[in-house]
Amino acid sequence: MKTLLLTGFEPFLNYTINPTMRIAEKLDGAQIGGYRIISRILPVDFNRSGELILRWIDDLKPDAVVSLGLAAGRYKMTPERVALNVKDGDVDNEGYRPVDEPVFAHGPDAYLSTLPVRKMTQALLQEGLPAEISNTAGAYLCNNIMYEGLHYAAVNKPGMLSGFIHIPADHQLAIEHGKLPSWSHEDLLKGVRICLGTIAEEME
C-alpha cells in the first residue's frame, strides 16, 4: 500500500483552534483509495517546521505529501497552485518574523504543485462543496512548508507528489472570532477526504 503523509498545523497567532490539526489527527491511520494516511502536526515555527517535515519525509518515504493550512477568512476550500521561495509575513509562535528571506538560498523562485489541483477542485464542486484553485499560498508558514515539500521532491524524489490545501475556519473558531466565514467540521473533513481520494485515483 502507498503512503501519504498528511500534515496539519498547531494553533497560531490569535487562533486558539486550528481545524487542520483536528482533521489531520482524525485521518491518521485511515485508508483512502490505495493510500495509508500517516498524519503529523507541524509547529508554527519557521525554523523547526521545515526541518520536521523533511525529517518525516526521510523517515516515512511517502508516495505523496499533502499539507493543510487554515485560511481564516476564505469561504472556499482552495488547493494551492504555487509555492514561492520566500519567507515573510506575521510573527510565528516563537516570535520570529522573517522579511523577504528565501526558503532555500539557491532554490528556484517558485514551484508548481504536483497534486491534481484542478481535479481536486472539480471533485469538491461536484460534491456541493465550494472550492477554487488558489494562486497564492501567501508567504507565511503554509507557503514555506509547501515549498519545502516540493523542493525535496524535485531534488531527491521526483516521483513523489506534493502540495498544499488551504481550508476555511470551522464553526468553533468562527464563534470565537465572531466574523469569520466557516464550515462545519464534518464538511471540512469530507472535503479533505475528497481531495485525498482524488490524489489516490491519480496515482492508480
Side-chain angles (χ1 to χ4, degrees), residues 42-64:
L42 287 161
V44 178
D45 179 332
F46 275 104
N47 294 315
R48 288 184 57 228
S49 60
E51 294 175 1
L52 281 172
I53 196 167
L54 296 181
R55 185 189 308 165
W56 295 335
I57 294 171
D58 276 335
D59 290 345
L60 298 170
K61 298 177 174 53
D63 300 281

Side-chain angles (χ1 to χ4, degrees), residues 10 14 17 33 83 87 91 102 113 122 124 126 134 184-185 195 200:
E10 67 183 3
N14 61 336
I17 301 161
K87 293 190 284 188
V91 66
S113 173
Q122 290 172 340
L124 288 164
Q126 287 169 2
S134 168
S184 69
H185 172 72
C195 288

Side-chain angles (χ1 to χ4, degrees), residues 14-91:
N14 61 336
Y15 303 114
T16 61
I17 301 161
N18 194 329
T20 69
M21 182 175 179
R22 293 180 64 198
I23 290 170
E25 290 174 342
K26 178 69 174 179
L27 291 176
D28 187 32
Q31 181 179 335
I32 299 177
Y35 280 115
R36 178 173 62 102
I37 310 302
I38 299 177
S39 298
R40 297 287 186 269
I41 306 304
L42 287 161
V44 178
D45 179 332
F46 275 104
N47 294 315
R48 288 184 57 228
S49 60
E51 294 175 1
L52 281 172
I53 196 167
L54 296 181
R55 185 189 308 165
W56 295 335
I57 294 171
D58 276 335
D59 290 345
L60 298 170
K61 298 177 174 53
D63 300 281
V65 178
V66 178
S67 295
L68 305 175
L70 169 65
R74 290 188 190 180
Y75 58 92
K76 297 181 179 182
M77 190 166 283
T78 51
E80 296 292 342
R81 196 197 303 267
V82 184
L84 301 176
N85 190 11
V86 63
K87 293 190 284 188
D88 202 295
D90 291 318
V91 66

Side-chain angles (χ1 to χ4, degrees), residues 84-201:
L84 301 176
N85 190 11
V86 63
K87 293 190 284 188
D88 202 295
D90 291 318
V91 66
D92 68 15
N93 282 356
E94 300 303 313
Y96 180 57
R97 185 172 189 172
V99 177
D100 298 335
E101 292 184 16
V103 181
F104 284 96
H106 303 292
D109 291 339
Y111 283 110
L112 293 177
S113 173
T114 53
L115 301 180
V117 293
R118 178 66 62 189
K119 290 181 179 179
M120 290 157 61
T121 302
Q122 290 172 340
L124 288 164
L125 292 171
Q126 287 169 2
E127 291 297 322
L129 297 175
E132 65 182 2
I133 295 172
S134 168
N135 290 317
T136 174
Y140 193 50
L141 266 293
C142 295
N143 174 79
N144 187 67
I145 286 301
M146 182 179 177
Y147 191 97
E148 292 269 13
L150 287 164
H151 186 72
Y152 181 98
V155 173
N156 301 292
K157 195 175 179 183
M160 185 183 79
L161 298 182
S162 187
F164 199 96
I165 305 167
H166 266 121
I167 68 171
D170 62 11
H171 293 333
Q172 186 178 357
L173 185 58
I175 289 169
E176 181 178 300
H177 278 261
K179 294 184 178 180
L180 291 177
S182 62
W183 288 22
S184 69
H185 172 72
E186 291 74 21
D187 278 347
L188 288 173
L189 183 61
K190 177 183 176 181
V192 173
R193 282 185 174 274
I194 289 168
C195 288
L196 299 186
T198 304
I199 296 166
E201 290 173 3

